[in-house]
Amino acid sequence: RFGDWTTFVKHDDRGKTCFVDTTAKRSSSTPASFKRDGDVRIVVSQRPSNRTKKEIYVFVGYDWGPQGTASLQAANEQFALSRGDLEDSGSAVWLDDTNEEGRLIDLMRRSSEVVVSSTFTHGRKSVDMFSLRGFASAIARADAECAW
């Protein structure tokens, strides 16, 4: 554990995968009665076997449907999030532009928090704040464990 972030390694028949993750420190929803399923979390994964490096995704805690929108803000910069090409991604969203992942990781190393804003079906909205305390150390550990 590194501050508010956890690093862990998973081994399976496809090789090794490294993860760093954290849960939201603060969350608000509109309407206030809107309840989400499961944890709201950010995950960064690395899979040396298929050369996936620092894939960022967010579990927003609700299957936000085809009209859902989400964005992540780090250091006053906005990054669009979407379900990608997965029809059944559940509550997971990824960066629209995966070419931005390296830049976002760099911003996260230097920032104190990121904010994810989501709009779900029927006008439901959420805002989640994630602490970045310990992120730089957690991602450095994942880099060491899953270098390629």
Side-chain angles (χ1 to χ4, degrees), residues 41 62 80 86 92 104 130 139 142-143:
R41 65 178 54 247
Y62 191 80
L86 295 179
L104 176 53
F130 298 86
I139 202 76
D143 286 345

Side-chain angles (χ1 to χ4, degrees), residues 11 19 45 59 63 79 84 86 92 103 105 115-116 139-140 144:
H11 297 271
F19 299 92
S45 65
F59 290 97
D63 185 351
F79 296 84
L86 295 179
R103 190 165 70 88
I105 293 290
V115 176
V116 174
I139 202 76

Side-chain angles (χ1 to χ4, degrees), residues 36 106 108:
R36 291 184 276 169
D106 288 342
M108 290 171 69

Side-chain angles (χ1 to χ4, degrees), residues 17-31:
T17 305
C18 292
F19 299 92
V20 300
D21 81 332
T22 191
T23 56
K25 286 293 184 192
R26 290 191 311 273
S27 297
S28 64
S29 300
T30 305

